[in-house]
Amino acid sequence: MTGAVRAAAIAGALLSFVAAASRAQGRYRVAIGIVGESKPLVAEFRVCVPAETSDCGSWLVRTPSVDDSPVITPVVEVGPLRSLDGRDSISIDGDAIVIRSLVRGATPARNAIRRTALMPRAIALASDSRYVFVAFADANGESGVIDMIELESMAVIDTLPIRGRPAGIAVLR
């Protein structure tokens, strides 16, 4: 293999690695219904990629196609969800979000995520089955948080504080 061919092969491998990392950096928009409000909040979550200087984190955004139409957000009982790939079960169990791996031999096989003084109200699963978004509310109904949880590690990777009591949540993209 000549030096030029070897350099081209290495450059091609690096390019495919960078492209894969770029695709891995997901961007998710989440609509959050707030009790007493006719329009949802819209939040954007961007996954941080180690060793990459990119926008990452979470913030509220304005999306005219979503924000300009009224939405009714009744509080409903939420049953367990199962990831689209069938690997995980996600449910609200009292004051915790419980994630169970349905893959034999997976570690950890179960994780419960709790928030001090907050109760889980709603959950939504990303279409790629990589993340679940959970709306937590305080007892007074004055504020809450949205957690972005990575299913592979079963850990909270981002949290967005919000005003108002969340009643529902949906992943837009």
Side-chain angles (χ1 to χ4, degrees):
M1 188 184 268
T2 69
V5 172
R6 184 176 300 142
I10 291 171
L14 284 174
L15 183 60
S16 66
F17 175 77
V18 169
S22 296
R23 282 191 301 275
Q25 181 183 1
R27 183 177 102 174
Y28 301 88
R29 287 219 170 160
V30 177
I32 306 135
I34 303 296
V35 172
E37 298 290 329
S38 63
K39 296 179 183 178
L41 297 175
V42 178
E44 183 161 313
F45 290 82
R46 290 190 188 172
V47 180
C48 295
V49 177
E52 184 178 299
T53 57
S54 61
D55 288 355
C56 65
S58 57
W59 52 87
L60 293 176
V61 296
R62 176 156 172 74
T63 306
S65 62
V66 174
D67 291 347
D68 290 341
S69 59
V71 175
I72 298 170
T73 56
V75 177
V76 295
E77 197 65 32
V78 178
L81 297 176
R82 188 169 184 165
S83 61
L84 298 176
D85 60 9
R87 296 175 54 96
D88 300 291
S89 167
I90 306 103
S91 61
I92 295 176
D93 186 8
D95 67 343
I97 295 297
V98 177
I99 302 170
R100 290 183 180 89
S101 176
L102 302 177
V103 176
R104 290 183 187 248
T107 304
R110 179 181 189 277
N111 189 24
I113 297 170
R114 288 184 172 80
R115 287 276 192 185
T116 304
L118 296 173
M119 291 293 291
R121 297 291 176 202
I123 54 179
L125 182 66
S127 62
D128 60 9
S129 294
R130 292 178 65 195
Y131 303 98
V132 65
F133 297 87
V134 182
F136 289 89
D138 69 1
N140 301 330
E142 295 174 9
S143 64
V145 298
I146 306 300
D147 279 350
M148 179 183 196
I149 302 169
E150 180 182 46
L151 289 175
E152 185 176 328
S153 66
M154 295 188 187
V156 175
I157 63 168
D158 201 357
T159 298
L160 177 68
I162 58 171
R163 287 187 190 170
R165 182 178 183 173
I169 189 168
V171 179
L172 302 174
R173 61 174 168 186

